[in-house]
Amino acid sequence: MLEGSRAFDMAWGAITGGLCFAIGIAMIAWWVRARASGAASIFGARIDPGRGLHLAWAAFALGMGGTNIGCRFIDHNPLAAVHEGFFALTLVVYVVLAPPLIARASLSTR
């Protein structure tokens, strides 16, 4: 199992949820700036010309942040296998969103 003690579950939920919230908030801020300035989404103008994919992934990241925190703070022993599913979805958020977000952010600071 991926989870350990109750304290570990709560700390892990806070950390992973906080990271998802940070990614989601950064993407929402980027989306708002991109709409105001006409800039492309983090996925590029060819892949996401209307910035809808960008907004959908931002909403998904925010939802996963809440899910990670809620899942780990609310005890639900009969549904213990849910943690593995949420862990996999959290990894999807990190793997898909973190690299382009970091790349775009590093390019904009130069």
Side-chain angles (χ1 to χ4, degrees):
M1 295 296 277
L2 293 173
E3 59 270 348
S5 68
R6 188 82 183 115
F8 173 82
D9 281 350
M10 292 173 71
W12 183 252
I15 291 167
T16 59
L19 287 172
C20 282
F21 277 134
I23 289 172
I25 289 168
M27 288 194 58
I28 292 289
W30 197 294
W31 182 81
V32 169
R33 281 194 308 262
R35 288 197 42 114
S37 67
S41 80
I42 65 166
F43 299 109
R46 192 173 61 115
I47 294 172
D48 189 19
R51 292 178 291 283
L53 182 63
H54 183 129
L55 182 61
W57 273 100
F60 181 63
L62 291 172
M64 282 308 300
T67 300
N68 273 307
I69 291 172
C71 177
R72 297 294 180 160
F73 278 71
I74 299 168
D75 191 22
H76 51 275
N77 288 332
L79 300 173
V82 169
H83 289 182
E84 283 81 6
F86 287 150
F87 179 74
L89 287 173
T90 301
L91 286 180
V92 168
V93 168
Y94 297 160
V95 168
V96 170
L97 298 181
L101 191 62
I102 291 168
R104 294 283 179 154
S106 66
L107 288 175
S108 68
T109 58
R110 291 181 187 176

